[in-house]
Amino acid sequence: MKVLGNKAFTGILTEKNRKQSAGFRGDADRDIRVTEPDKATKKRRYSLWEQRLFSFPLLWFGLDGTVVVAVPRSLRAGRKVSRMMRIVKLIPLIFACLLFVGCGGAESAGSAGEASGGEYGSIVARFGTLNQIRAQIVTIRVDVLDPVSGEPILPSQQGGLGQEFVFQQVPVGPKLLRASGFNADGGTEDSAEIQVMVLAGQSTRATLSLTTGGATGGGTAGGTTEGGTTGGTTTGGTATGGTTTAGTTGGTTTGGTTTGGTTTAGTTGGTTTGGTTGGTTGGTAGGTTGGTTGGTTGGTTGGTTSGSTFLFVTNEGTGAVSVYDSNYTEVTNSPLTGLGAQATVAFDVAGRRAFTAGPGTNQITAIAIDTVTPTPESPLFFASDVVFGVAYDPDRNVVYAGDTAANYVGVISAATSNQTGSIFGLDDPREIRYFNGRIYVAESNTGALRVFDANTLAEVTGSPVAIGGGEADSLALDTANNRIFVGMPQGPTAGGFVAVIDLATLTQVAGSPFASGSRTTGVAYDPVRNRILACNDPMGTGDLVVLDGTTFTATPPITAGNRPSDVVYDAANQRIIVSNRDGNTINVFDAATLTEITGSPFTVGTGAGSFLGNIGVVTLP
């Protein structure tokens, strides 16, 4: 509320406001005439009406919502009145001011409460560890923009490395967060954008990375010391990021021919082809860090593990990922700890990477399968932290992650580590799969399958696909027959079900969904025998149910441990693996006979309290 004197009041009383204001009708110039100051005396002259009017405080309510208190000139010692009279006349003014200031204060407090609980949220932007920020960057600026117009919503903030940028009173809905990194001369070194969803009364955390040019991948870790001075350090560390140039030049100089580090200075060269030349020559002289990862270790391990199978186990309770070989013996460097709760895993087979995430972290860990160590681009930053589903898209080199709290799916680049897109409007997205240019999302609360075009991120015709009531929790693909299976803990009636959906028509096959046990928590597919595999957790001793892929008839339940959380099919070893959330064990079955193999169940995880999440099995090329 503004308290204005008569001079300011003159400016407020425009002809339009005088005529439109309630309580002052008729001839505004006759009833309320505020004259200009007398040029000789510098004092205002007032008519009788004006003197009467301005003998009392005037409250003016503008049509634009402005509240004005006009202080009478007589109360400002403009007229010769007694001090007592001035005090008496001030009483209604003081009372009115207190009344309206109090109301205004209450209204402001109410608005603030409404904002924090119903209209606004906040954003906390931070960056990864300093080695994930380009060395040239000394200051960072963060802007909150409208995702459609690109216009700023709030004033930008600028600070130093390691600082958190907190934006309050951010309107709810999708926002574009842009970070810019500047060098000592004020020049822009790098920028990154990420879409975030602001929820009412909640704080949205976003972690960004400024690594264009490969601070961790190109020059620094991609072949620093001797791996080709020009290719590893100068060229690879700046704009090219150690991808093509760093590998080619670095590999040619000393790094072991051109194949010794073609793409990422040893990553692809050291593992895929660099097991021989790139592993030996490129590893020895091909750069300390880059040579070690991409050459020595990548060559040795990558060369010897080709065709090997690994089982990845997520530990939701202890924030770790455990990795096992085909004998279910834990491999070197496992478990990888300190990751936050882990509940889901996806694979980039050609790139020999695994991606894991879970609730409570706003990042996705990229793990080199050969070494069970984070890759140079890890972690991938995701502006949300309740993740129960990830999928890898090899056609676009991106990871899809579903946030069950903010109800959207984020698209994160597996090259730059930054979020590049979002799919909003979901309701509790769980598991995600990518196949043939489309993204498939199990939407738990609505009991539906949502399908999106991977290029446009728009929902395709025919989506959502209702699955007959209940929940949609897990997914498995049958790529040969163009089908997808949706596991349902609770179906249209009591017990678990599996919905079978034709991907060409996005409709359920006749009779779907099909009963699959007590409470289906995971689903997989055996393409060799055309079997649908469903594990069930009845909140106690669980089981495995196998459905025929043509008739959809089910076998009797097969005991499978304490609270099964997921099931996978190991094609290389022809096995079915069921993880048990509370038992820290896996039950392994022969896929042909459906009997447990010798030694099963096997103890996995990080011990008591691991609370096993999803598992994944991968065979390296």
Side-chain angles (χ1 to χ4, degrees):
M1 181 177 70
K2 300 179 182 178
V3 179
L4 304 175
N6 287 336
K7 186 173 183 180
F9 187 70
T10 304
I12 295 291
L13 288 178
T14 62
E15 183 69 20
K16 180 179 179 181
N17 284 343
R18 287 201 299 269
K19 290 183 178 181
Q20 292 181 344
S21 173
F24 294 97
R25 304 300 183 197
D27 188 343
D29 287 326
R30 185 186 68 230
D31 293 343
I32 307 173
R33 186 173 68 256
V34 182
T35 63
E36 293 295 323
D38 184 85
K39 294 182 179 180
T41 63
K42 303 299 182 182
K43 296 181 179 179
R44 297 181 186 274
R45 297 177 180 176
Y46 298 90
S47 64
L48 178 61
W49 271 102
E50 293 163 355
Q51 294 176 29
R52 291 176 180 174
L53 175 63
F54 293 131
S55 294
F56 297 93
L58 175 63
L59 300 176
W60 182 270
F61 299 88
L63 297 179
D64 59 354
T66 305
V67 179
V68 180
V69 176
V71 181
R73 190 164 183 89
S74 62
L75 300 184
R76 299 171 60 229
R79 297 174 62 194
K80 295 180 180 180
V81 294
S82 67
R83 184 180 301 273
M84 181 63 69
M85 184 60 69
R86 292 178 191 171
I87 295 175
V88 170
K89 288 188 175 183
L90 276 172
I91 291 175
L93 173 62
I94 296 171
F95 176 79
C97 289
L98 290 174
L99 175 65
F100 280 85
V101 169
C103 293
E107 181 180 359
S108 299
S111 300
E114 181 182 357
S116 63
E119 296 181 10
Y120 300 96
S122 62
I123 297 176
V124 179
R126 60 187 177 91
F127 294 82
T129 55
L130 295 185
N131 66 351
Q132 292 165 333
I133 299 177
R134 294 193 64 187
Q136 298 92 334
I137 294 176
V138 294
T139 57
I140 298 171
R141 188 187 70 210
V142 181
D143 297 278
V144 179
L145 311 174
D146 183 281
V148 178
S149 66
E151 294 297 320
I153 295 174
L154 297 171
S156 61
Q157 295 186 21
Q158 188 161 316
L161 305 180
Q163 175 181 333
E164 282 193 342
F165 299 81
V166 181
F167 294 88
Q168 302 286 359
Q169 294 293 95
V170 185
V172 299
K175 299 293 177 285
L176 183 65
L177 201 62
R178 176 182 296 161
S180 304
F182 303 94
N183 57 31
D185 297 325
T188 303
E189 282 290 337
D190 197 5
S191 63
E193 292 182 351
I194 185 172
Q195 276 199 338
V196 300
M197 173 62 77
V198 179
L199 301 178
Q202 297 187 27
S203 179
T204 299
R205 293 183 299 162
T207 306
L208 298 98
S209 172
L210 295 172
T211 57
T212 300
T216 56
T220 310
T224 317
T225 315
E226 299 177 36
T229 308
T230 308
T233 310
T234 310
T235 316
T238 51
T240 343
T243 48
T244 307
T245 316
T248 309
T249 313
T252 308
T253 309
T254 3
T257 68
T258 309
T259 39
T262 314
T263 312
T264 329
T267 305
T268 307
T271 50
T272 311
T273 349
T276 50
T277 312
T280 312
T281 314
T284 308
T288 321
T289 312
T292 304
T293 309
T296 308
T297 309
T300 308
T301 311
T304 57
T305 57
S306 179
S308 297
T309 300
F310 295 95
L311 174 70
F312 277 67
V313 177
T314 61
N315 298 266
E316 189 174 339
T318 56
V321 173
S322 306
V323 184
Y324 303 86
D325 61 21
S326 55
N327 295 317
Y328 311 110
T329 300
E330 196 161 12
V331 302
T332 304
N333 294 333
S334 176
L336 190 61
T337 59
L339 306 178
Q342 299 290 290
T344 183
V345 60
F347 298 107
D348 167 18
V349 179
R352 306 168 84 93
R353 296 180 295 179
F355 301 98
T356 66
T361 61
N362 63 335
Q363 63 186 35
I364 297 166
T365 303
I367 303 171
I369 298 173
D370 292 320
T371 60
V372 192
T373 56
T375 64
E377 65 274 11
S378 183
L380 280 60
F381 300 114
F382 181 37
S384 295
D385 60 2
V386 186
V387 182
F388 285 100
V390 292
Y392 177 70
D393 176 351
D395 299 322
R396 294 160 189 81
N397 194 25
V398 297
V399 176
Y400 305 111
D403 186 308
T404 62
N407 290 316
Y408 82 106
V409 169
V411 184
I412 306 98
S413 169
T416 66
S417 305
N418 289 318
Q419 188 169 336
T420 60
S422 302
I423 302 173
F424 295 111
L426 295 165
D427 192 355
D428 195 11
R430 292 286 169 163
E431 284 203 348
I432 305 172
R433 293 290 183 269
Y434 169 80
F435 174 60
N436 200 23
R438 288 184 171 182
I439 308 160
Y440 298 90
V441 183
E443 192 173 60
S444 181
N445 282 349
T446 60
L449 177 71
R450 303 286 294 272
V451 188
F452 300 89
D453 183 279
N455 287 321
T456 64
L457 302 184
E459 194 158 13
V460 305
T461 303
S463 177
V465 184
I467 57 175
E471 307 170 31
D473 191 71
S474 52
L475 296 174
L477 282 164
D478 171 12
T479 57
N481 297 302
N482 210 29
R483 299 183 297 180
I484 193 168
F485 309 109
V486 184
M488 307 164 63
Q490 178 64 47
T493 59
F497 283 77
V498 171
V500 182
I501 298 171
D502 185 303
L503 295 182
T505 62
L506 290 184
T507 57
Q508 292 193 73
V509 302
S512 178
F514 303 97
S516 55
S518 57
R519 184 173 174 268
T520 301
T521 53
V523 64
Y525 180 65
D526 174 356
V528 175
R529 297 161 191 85
N530 188 25
R531 289 174 173 173
I532 305 167
L533 315 170
C535 67
N536 292 277
D537 172 19
M539 307 303 287
T541 301
D543 54 55
L544 171 70
V545 172
V546 180
L547 289 79
D548 183 276
T550 302
T551 65
F552 306 110
T553 55
T555 65
I558 305 167
T559 302
N562 189 10
R563 298 199 61 195
S565 56
D566 198 15
V567 57
V568 295
Y569 171 72
D570 177 359
N573 295 294
Q574 291 299 294
R575 294 171 182 169
I576 301 167
I577 307 171
V578 177
S579 64
N580 298 299
R581 178 178 176 82
D582 284 358
N584 296 330
T585 60
I586 53 171
N587 292 77
V588 183
F589 301 87
D590 182 282
T593 64
L594 299 181
T595 57
E596 282 194 80
I597 69 170
T598 303
S600 178
F602 299 91
T603 300
V604 295
T606 54
S610 292
F611 299 127
L612 304 186
N614 284 4
I615 58 176
V617 64
V618 59
T619 300
L620 294 178

